[in-house]
Amino acid sequence: MSYRRPYRGTQPDYLFPPYASTVKRAPSQPLVVLPHTLSELTAPVFGYSDINPDDNDLTRQHKGEPLGERIVVSGRVLDENSRPLEGLLIEIWQANAAGRYNHRVDQHDAPLDPNFTGAGRAITNSEGRYRFVTIRPGEYPWRNHYNAWRPAHIHFSLFGPAIVTRLITQMYFPGDPLLEYDPMFTCVPDEKARNRLISLFDWETTIPEHALGYRFDIVLRGREATPMETPR
Amino acid sequence: MSLRATTSQTIGPYLRIGLEWMVIEDLAPQGVPGERVRIEGRIVDADGKPVNDAAVEIWQANSHGKYASAEDAQSNPLDSVFRGYGRSLTDDAGNFRFRTIKPGRVPGPEGSTQAPHVTVTIFMRGLLKQLQTRIYFADDPANAEDPVLALVPVERRPTLIAKKRADGALEWNVVLQGRNETVFFDF
Ligand SMILES: [Fe+3]
């Protein structure tokens, strides 16, 4: 068994000059096509014992409440065959409401928030569902090109059932005017693929008088429907 | 009918915020069977400048050639405290490091057996998706019959092989681009 290769136009290439940092870091030699052996078809297993139960609430990690608009970010993790993926570790990190990261290399002239670190963890349940409570991250400037600003986003890191399903991505917010100027958002030609990076406002998970809900479903690579390998 | 995998995005420069809580540079506590190895290396870009903002993750079988994963149906034994997963974040000089055990051999395609190797996944600012590569062990006679090394042009194979240093550590460096560029896999 092996995992399906990406659909055309749905995954970025390494070299993408509009994102300037790719120029010195993208491989220039041809990639070697890797057969999916046991080493690629397996992956580390994490569970509830690896995290704390309240690691998914980024608003309660300090004495006070962080500044900004509280939000609930939830969704399902499925594979390409629509199978819910249970027991996966999701790690997220983000800027604070002012668009500042709690990190020594972030020099943006916006205030740090002593009540916000910006990191969270969760494990998906039997239906592949996860849920975070956080605050809406701010947009922030970067030096990629003249007057470059990142749209508001949350970084997501996921482990799947196999090393080849490992995924790091970013979740965006609906209606953000910065999206069309952002070379990360536009790094793939397939417009539908891009739009799947945008969360949806979700009435169901919105908490009255407390927090708006956003839904972000994530799909990891799925196995080939028919085995591609020759029989053992 | 079938869904499409979510588009990969860069890890960006602020990965430490999200990933530092689970740095695992020592994979094999006392009592884990196997030959102890230290793997150390450095990542450089096209100009030879160190990459100080990368996450390096490794995944490997135990000394019996068994992965601690439900997807591994082999009958060889698991070692209870050995998960086989490591994560190191590069320092200002672009260095990463692991202490682990040399993995056993695992099956390859079409009835072959792979040489001992460690799977490496690398994320950094400037990579819109991860790089996938492998570490093999110098002087292991099984390298000559490894089905994956066999797919790599002979002159580029040395980039996948960790070499023993005078201090006993195994050195394995990553060159992202240019002369002696590391072999990366299309996975
Ligand atoms: Fe960011």
Side-chain angles (χ1 to χ4, degrees):
Chain A
M1 277 305 233
S2 61
Y3 280 82
R4 199 181 288 149
R5 303 278 163 173
Y7 290 93
R8 201 187 156 82
T10 64
Q11 293 296 337
D13 291 330
Y14 290 106
L15 180 63
F16 185 64
Y19 174 23
S21 299
T22 66
V23 174
K24 302 278 190 191
R25 293 183 166 192
S28 62
Q29 297 285 316
L31 303 182
V32 174
V33 176
L34 183 63
H36 293 171
T37 75
L38 193 61
S39 306
E40 287 72 38
L41 298 174
T42 50
V45 179
F46 301 99
Y48 291 102
S49 59
D50 291 298
I51 66 170
N52 295 315
D54 52 359
D55 278 352
N56 70 334
D57 189 340
L58 287 72
T59 68
R60 288 163 59 179
Q61 296 172 344
H62 298 275
K63 279 211 177 77
E65 286 247 348
L67 294 170
E69 179 190 341
R70 276 183 303 262
I71 58 172
V72 174
V73 175
S74 65
R76 292 183 84 188
V77 184
L78 306 166
D79 71 13
E80 289 177 318
N81 303 316
S82 304
R83 206 166 51 106
L85 296 175
E86 177 183 5
L88 299 193
L89 173 64
I90 305 181
E91 300 166 282
I92 66 166
W93 66 102
Q94 62 167 90
N96 69 22
R100 176 83 186 263
Y101 280 96
N102 180 24
H103 190 291
R104 69 185 165 103
V105 306
D106 188 354
Q107 299 300 319
H108 177 33
D109 178 24
L112 283 167
D113 183 342
N115 290 315
F116 193 70
T117 301
R121 268 106 36 198
I123 304 277
T124 58
N125 74 8
S126 60
E127 296 176 314
R129 291 184 198 280
Y130 71 89
R131 180 176 183 273
F132 290 100
V133 179
T134 183
I135 52 99
R136 196 184 204 281
E139 300 82 358
Y140 60 86
W142 61 312
R143 300 214 170 105
N144 186 68
H145 54 274
Y146 173 70
N147 210 1
W149 292 77
R150 291 300 329 280
H153 62 275
I154 299 177
H155 296 265
F156 273 70
S157 166
L158 293 96
F159 287 86
I163 283 296
V164 295
T165 66
R166 178 91 174 87
L167 175 73
I168 288 187
T169 190
Q170 298 180 29
M171 181 202 103
Y172 300 95
F173 290 85
D176 193 323
L178 294 170
L179 284 169
E180 62 178 295
Y181 302 100
D182 182 50
M184 288 176 195
F185 180 70
T186 59
C187 72
V188 291
D190 186 308
E191 206 180 325
K192 284 187 187 149
R194 290 179 193 180
N195 289 338
R196 287 192 293 268
L197 296 175
I198 305 174
S199 59
L200 301 168
F201 169 68
D202 187 14
W203 188 263
E204 295 289 315
T205 55
T206 291
I207 306 171
E209 291 167 52
H210 189 73
L212 293 185
Y214 289 92
R215 197 175 79 231
F216 182 52
D217 293 333
I218 299 164
V219 179
L220 301 186
R221 291 171 76 176
R223 288 174 180 263
E224 295 276 10
T226 49
M228 294 292 285
E229 284 179 50
T230 50
R232 295 237 165 114
Chain B
M1 174 70 195
S2 85
L3 304 173
R4 296 187 171 194
T6 302
T7 299
S8 175
Q9 296 271 277
T10 183
I11 197 169
Y14 307 119
L15 62 153
R16 271 185 187 275
I17 298 172
L19 303 189
E20 196 166 30
W21 71 285
M22 198 173 67
V23 164
I24 302 172
E25 294 179 337
D26 189 352
L27 285 74
Q30 288 237 317
V32 173
E35 178 192 338
R36 308 254 138 196
V37 291
R38 276 193 297 144
I39 301 173
E40 299 183 0
R42 186 167 179 250
I43 307 184
V44 295
D45 71 7
D47 297 330
K49 283 208 279 200
V51 172
N52 63 4
D53 53 7
V56 180
E57 295 182 341
I58 61 170
W59 169 241
Q60 63 167 90
N62 67 15
S63 63
H64 319 292
K66 168 86 173 176
Y67 283 103
S69 160
E71 310 287 317
D72 184 348
Q74 299 179 96
S75 59
N76 31 357
L78 282 168
D79 294 323
S80 60
V81 290
F82 186 72
R83 179 137 71 177
Y85 169 78
R87 171 187 283 177
S88 183
L89 308 180
T90 56
D91 61 20
D92 286 341
N95 292 316
F96 59 88
R97 63 208 62 75
F98 296 102
R99 289 170 180 273
T100 182
I101 49 100
K102 185 176 175 181
R105 300 183 67 178
V106 300
E110 295 171 40
S112 63
T113 304
Q114 304 189 63
H117 65 275
V118 171
T119 291
V120 184
T121 304
I122 302 171
F123 297 94
M124 67 183 74
R125 172 178 65 82
L127 287 181
L128 287 159
K129 60 186 171 189
Q130 66 262 47
L131 291 169
Q132 199 69 51
T133 183
R134 284 182 170 200
I135 303 171
Y136 287 84
F137 296 82
D139 306 324
D140 194 312
N143 290 344
E145 57 182 52
D146 182 79
V148 173
L149 276 179
L151 300 171
V152 176
V154 178
E155 67 281 7
R156 298 191 66 201
R157 285 181 202 165
T159 69
L160 299 179
I161 297 173
K163 294 176 192 66
K164 197 149 198 163
R165 278 197 321 233
D167 68 357
L170 301 177
E171 182 168 331
W172 181 78
N173 297 310
V174 177
V175 178
L176 293 173
Q177 193 189 101
R179 241 175 68 90
N180 301 319
E181 183 174 311
T182 300
V183 168
F184 301 109
F185 293 105
D186 184 345
F187 57 96

